[in-house]
Amino acid sequence: MTAFAPQSASPTRGFRAVIRILLPLVAMIAITAQPAMAQSILRDAETEALFQDMMDPLLVAAGLQPGQVRVHLLGDRSINAFVAGSQDIYVFSGLIEAADSAEEVQGVLAHELGHVMGGHAIRASEGMKAATGISLLSLLLGAAAIAAGGGDAGMGILMAGQQAALGKYLAFSRVQESTADAAGAQYLSKAGISGRGSLAFFKKLQNLEFRYGVKQDDDQAYGRTHPMSGDRIQSLREVYVIDPAWDKPADPAIEARFQRIKAKLSGYIADPARTLRKYPESDTSIPARYARAYAWHKSAYPEKALGEVQELLKSDPHDPYFLELEGQVLLESGRPAEAIPPLREAVAKSRSQPLIAATLGHALIATEDQANFVEAEKVLKTAVALDNENPFAWYQLGIVYANKGDQARAALASAERYSLEGGQSGLALRNAETAMQGLPEGTPDWIRAQDIALVARAEVERERKRR
């Protein structure tokens, strides 16, 4: 495990709505539902905490409760973000890499919140329904013309109908985007966050369009999912520059945390050589040391990685995320016993943050010392109680149960794990059924196993029909 832990998203736990791309597309677009398992979710305690702190003022401005909308990070270097389901925002790692400031990301989050509040992911079916109606009508008319002997006329009707259907959906999409732009500007204003970042990020998107030869004239507007970037920038500028928050300085604490996260993510994703060029050893800032620690660790130089971590800890000896990184480097370098003290402190300082607690549980188990398994069970139970969507924590808890001879609960933990991992419904079903056979009927654990079995069985049947 690393601080950024890749996790396949489960098609049974959301993610089944239409994906909405942030960047405009100019070619013909197939509007399809993309399964969660097509992307890898990156889990990191520090990043998720920052995202929530960036999101909560916007949620309050929109009339929601803090924490009501969650932000997830996807391991994809595209500059994209989208809304899925009804209250989940997904941000691509490439967007974080491209953003220069926390305000830029908050501008994107405000826009995506506009989609959430407008119910756009759910209402996407309305646009598709209207487009489908046009498409079906053209098929009927075209078929009738062909049957009457007018082959060319029939094909013309078919092609025109498909083009009209696509245009209908794209127009629907552009309206949603304009609505989300306006709503996002309102949320930023009410939250007292300047729109400078929002405009700066839209300008980045426009520059990318210029680079790739995407025309900005009105003739191209028909084939776009989004309004033209120049028009969006102009409309938003008129709103932002007169807003009282326009000249308000950015939150320095949020900005400092963002720069840490950006460097940390770069160190995790990028090639180590590239990271070391971008953050040379002459740069002794906290973000640079963070990035290099990951680069050295990925390059199998644990002592160099630990050297950077020790310098980070000198700046703040009790920072839970620095302690977490120290524990992870030690653990992944084959020194689990040494990893336990910093990870214990990281868990304590982060108030039992479940992702960090799962790593501590892993370290305790990795010592193969039976005396540590009791603590591991306690730590891992707390982790899954606070975050039951972490398959790695369930996997570790299954090891603990198997070690103590509790095969029924080991099977239940495995069922939980496989239900969270895309494409593992068969394994989830078998383990859930095994758990039910060994657990007292009617107990909470038995009921949970039954629930997993029902969902997994339905998914297995759907997969069988698809085949």
Side-chain angles (χ1 to χ4, degrees), residues 1 49 99 217 316 350 465:
M1 282 287 284
D217 54 75
D316 188 347
S350 65
K465 290 178 181 178

Side-chain angles (χ1 to χ4, degrees), residues 270-324:
D271 179 77
R274 178 185 174 190
T275 300
L276 293 172
R277 286 194 302 271
K278 185 176 180 181
Y279 298 98
E281 293 187 72
S282 58
D283 185 346
T284 59
S285 66
I286 287 177
R289 291 195 183 280
Y290 230 163
R292 287 198 301 271
Y294 276 92
W296 289 126
H297 186 42
K298 286 176 66 177
S299 302
Y301 289 101
E303 294 307 320
K304 283 182 170 290
L306 288 170
E308 297 289 358
V309 175
Q310 291 306 316
E311 291 299 321
L312 290 172
L313 285 168
K314 285 181 182 178
S315 65
D316 188 347
H318 304 294
D319 186 301
Y321 307 116
F322 295 163
L323 291 163
E324 177 194 21

Side-chain angles (χ1 to χ4, degrees), residues 250-262:
D251 184 328
I254 290 289
E255 183 61 31
R257 291 168 64 191
F258 173 74
Q259 295 303 330
R260 276 175 54 161
I261 290 302
K262 183 176 178 178

Side-chain angles (χ1 to χ4, degrees), residues 3 44-45 264 320-328 342-343 346 356 359:
D44 173 63
K264 182 180 186 179
Y321 307 116
F322 295 163
L323 291 163
E324 177 194 21
L325 181 54
E326 180 185 22
Q328 288 165 346
L343 287 173
I356 303 177
T359 306

